[in-house]
Amino acid sequence: MGLPLSELIVFTLPAKKFSAQAMQTASKCFGKFLRRLRKAKGLSQEEFGDILDVEGRYVSKLENGKINVTCATIDSYLKKLRKKHIAVFNPALFNE
């Protein structure tokens, strides 16, 4: 069972440790979350874009995982959507 839309936990790693495949997977998962949230609110992509301060076309690309989002972008969008979230970093990954 997935998390309710009122809660989202985001597990992240330092960007330099992400493989291209991991970034695509994370972006697709976040995109699916955004689509579910937008539809639950009954908003068009343009209306949702107004909340995120982006264009509707960009929302479409986000929802379809066509844009690799950064940790900072995810954090910014979740704050604009007033969603609780947690970013978890593994300090061991910073030791090279």
Side-chain angles (χ1 to χ4, degrees):
M1 183 176 215
L3 292 171
L5 290 177
S6 62
E7 297 294 328
L8 174 67
I9 299 172
V10 179
F11 294 96
T12 59
L13 300 170
K16 65 183 178 180
K17 295 292 183 179
F18 270 140
S19 68
Q21 184 177 3
M23 284 296 288
Q24 289 173 342
T25 299
S27 294
K28 285 180 182 179
C29 289
F30 187 65
K32 287 179 183 179
F33 169 78
L34 289 179
R35 179 180 287 124
R36 279 184 52 214
L37 183 61
R38 177 180 63 79
K39 288 186 174 190
K41 291 179 173 280
L43 299 173
S44 69
Q45 289 178 332
E46 291 79 18
E47 292 167 327
F48 202 64
D50 288 342
I51 295 169
L52 300 179
D53 294 324
V54 298
E55 293 184 12
R57 292 180 302 208
Y58 191 81
V59 171
S60 175
K61 291 178 183 178
L62 283 170
E63 290 182 350
N64 290 301
K66 305 240 185 236
I67 295 175
N68 286 339
V69 292
T70 65
C71 297
T73 301
I74 291 172
D75 184 64
S76 171
Y77 290 167
L78 292 176
K79 284 180 181 174
K80 289 175 183 179
L81 294 168
R82 298 187 177 139
K83 292 293 166 193
K84 297 176 184 177
H85 61 287
I86 300 170
V88 177
F89 293 89
N90 183 347
L93 295 175
F94 290 101
N95 300 326
E96 297 189 350

